[in-house]
Amino acid sequence: MKNLLRPALVTFALLSAVTGLVYPLAVTGVGQAMFPHQAAGSLIERNGTVVGSDLIGQHFTAPRYFWGRPSATAPMPNNAAGSGGSNQGPLNPVLAEAVKERIAALRAADPGNQQAVPADLVTASASGLDPHISVAAAQFQAARVARERQWPLAQVQDLIQRHTQARDLGVLGEPRVNVLQLNLALDAQR
């Protein structure tokens, strides 16, 4: 029994040290050396205060700001500790009702807007935390934001264009807008 137990315990201790200490420390060190902003959470600071992250959406409801995607996290929106999909399929009546309510809220916030509502403004992303909206979703909200801020529409559209991120590697994904970055740019232009 001693001949079997000792090698097993040594192997367990060695593998625990390698996978529990050496590997995580090495990966963290490489990440911090090569990608310091991302390894630190992609935090966004303004005037020495952290206001958010490039990677996690924030819940904006004031009409003078662009609104992001609905969050699938509960009980509070965009809670990274509660990340996960809603698991509601396209035929789920709960999802259909939530989409109707979200469309009604968007229409109430901008009654004159007769454009089709982009899907990403009424459905959550897979993680429920997506910080981006499509360019169409930003354009859909541009007139409301311009009106609320009493700015020319062209000024708001210019900000959208300047904050549009291209496809990754030129081919992956779609052009998108980080809502927090765009809203911070709005506030910077007061």
Side-chain angles (χ1 to χ4, degrees):
M1 182 72 153
K2 203 186 263 188
N3 291 338
L4 292 175
L5 191 56
R6 182 177 174 170
L9 289 176
V10 169
T11 302
F12 174 74
L14 182 63
L15 287 174
S16 294
V18 168
T19 60
L21 288 173
V22 175
Y23 179 75
L25 288 174
V27 169
T28 300
V30 169
Q32 288 178 341
M34 295 180 70
F35 308 102
H37 178 69
Q38 294 87 339
S42 299
L43 300 178
I44 300 170
E45 289 187 22
R46 290 295 183 265
N47 302 321
T49 302
V50 174
V51 295
S53 169
D54 278 332
L55 305 174
I56 299 184
Q58 290 193 8
H59 188 64
F60 291 95
T61 57
R64 60 181 287 131
Y65 290 108
F66 285 90
W67 299 346
R69 292 189 76 154
S71 176
T73 64
M76 62 186 202
N78 300 306
N79 175 9
S83 174
S86 68
N87 293 327
Q88 297 170 340
L91 300 178
N92 187 317
V94 174
L95 177 62
E97 187 59 34
V99 167
K100 284 180 190 174
E101 290 173 8
R102 293 167 183 159
I103 290 172
L106 287 165
R107 296 286 184 212
D110 193 5
N113 188 344
Q114 297 303 310
Q115 298 176 55
V117 176
D120 56 324
L121 286 179
V122 294
T123 56
S125 66
S127 69
L129 302 173
D130 195 351
H132 299 97
I133 56 175
S134 64
V135 176
Q139 290 293 347
F140 178 84
Q141 301 177 73
R144 181 196 76 226
V145 171
R147 185 176 55 254
E148 289 292 326
R149 290 181 178 262
Q150 299 178 0
W151 290 0
L153 179 59
Q155 183 178 358
V156 174
Q157 289 174 329
D158 179 58
L159 276 175
I160 292 170
Q161 182 179 3
R162 285 193 280 144
H163 286 85
T164 297
Q165 299 170 0
R167 297 170 183 239
D168 293 331
L169 304 174
V171 294
L172 300 175
E174 293 295 323
R176 62 209 175 276
V177 180
N178 185 296
V179 176
L180 176 59
Q181 292 283 12
L182 181 57
N183 286 336
L184 289 171
L186 287 171
D187 285 346
Q189 287 202 2
R190 288 184 185 179

